Amino acid sequence: MGDVWIRTISQSLVRADRVTEIATSRGSVHDDQGYSLKVVADGKASILIDNSDLIGTTGERLEHARRMEDALLLAMDAASGTNSSVVISYEQDGERWILRPASEVAGEIAP
């Protein structure tokens, strides 16, 4: 079985098997819009999504964030069943998590 990695918004990678917590909070700048989703691994928090554009009530925004958490858990589960190393990335345009082979991600050149 290959390793599973999660890409953060700072483009770093977190090993999925070391994640001990997935947490959501309201947007850090505005009370009335946005949310952030983070994981905690090895005692360090890493932000995966910082969506400051999502509007709605706090309840609506946090419900959307909970759906993103659930989708991340499903992506982690799907990735753990593969034989090769996989990177899970958040695609903001599609509001979804995508799985890509680590070898493909390693071949990318950072802008």
Side-chain angles (χ1 to χ4, degrees), residues 5-9 22-24 35-39 46-50 64-79 86-100:
W5 300 86
I6 304 170
R7 182 173 273 181
T8 69
I9 63 170
I22 300 173
T24 301
Y35 71 93
S36 294
L37 188 138
K38 68 179 178 180
V39 293
S46 299
I47 297 175
L48 305 180
I49 302 173
D50 187 7
H64 178 78
R66 279 189 282 280
R67 285 193 303 271
M68 296 309 299
E69 288 178 16
D70 292 345
L72 174 59
L73 288 170
L74 290 171
M76 290 169 65
D77 189 46
V86 174
V87 175
I88 302 169
S89 301
Y90 175 68
E91 184 181 80
Q92 187 166 355
D93 292 340
E95 284 271 320
R96 63 185 180 150
W97 299 100
I98 57 171
L99 306 177
R100 295 175 59 199

Side-chain angles (χ1 to χ4, degrees), residues 30-63:
H30 304 285
D31 286 337
D32 60 341
Q33 65 186 48
Y35 71 93
S36 294
L37 188 138
K38 68 179 178 180
V39 293
V40 177
D42 297 327
K44 181 182 176 198
S46 299
I47 297 175
L48 305 180
I49 302 173
D50 187 7
N51 185 340
S52 60
D53 296 332
L54 185 65
I55 56 173
T57 67
T58 301
E60 291 168 337
R61 289 180 286 121
L62 293 179
E63 178 59 30

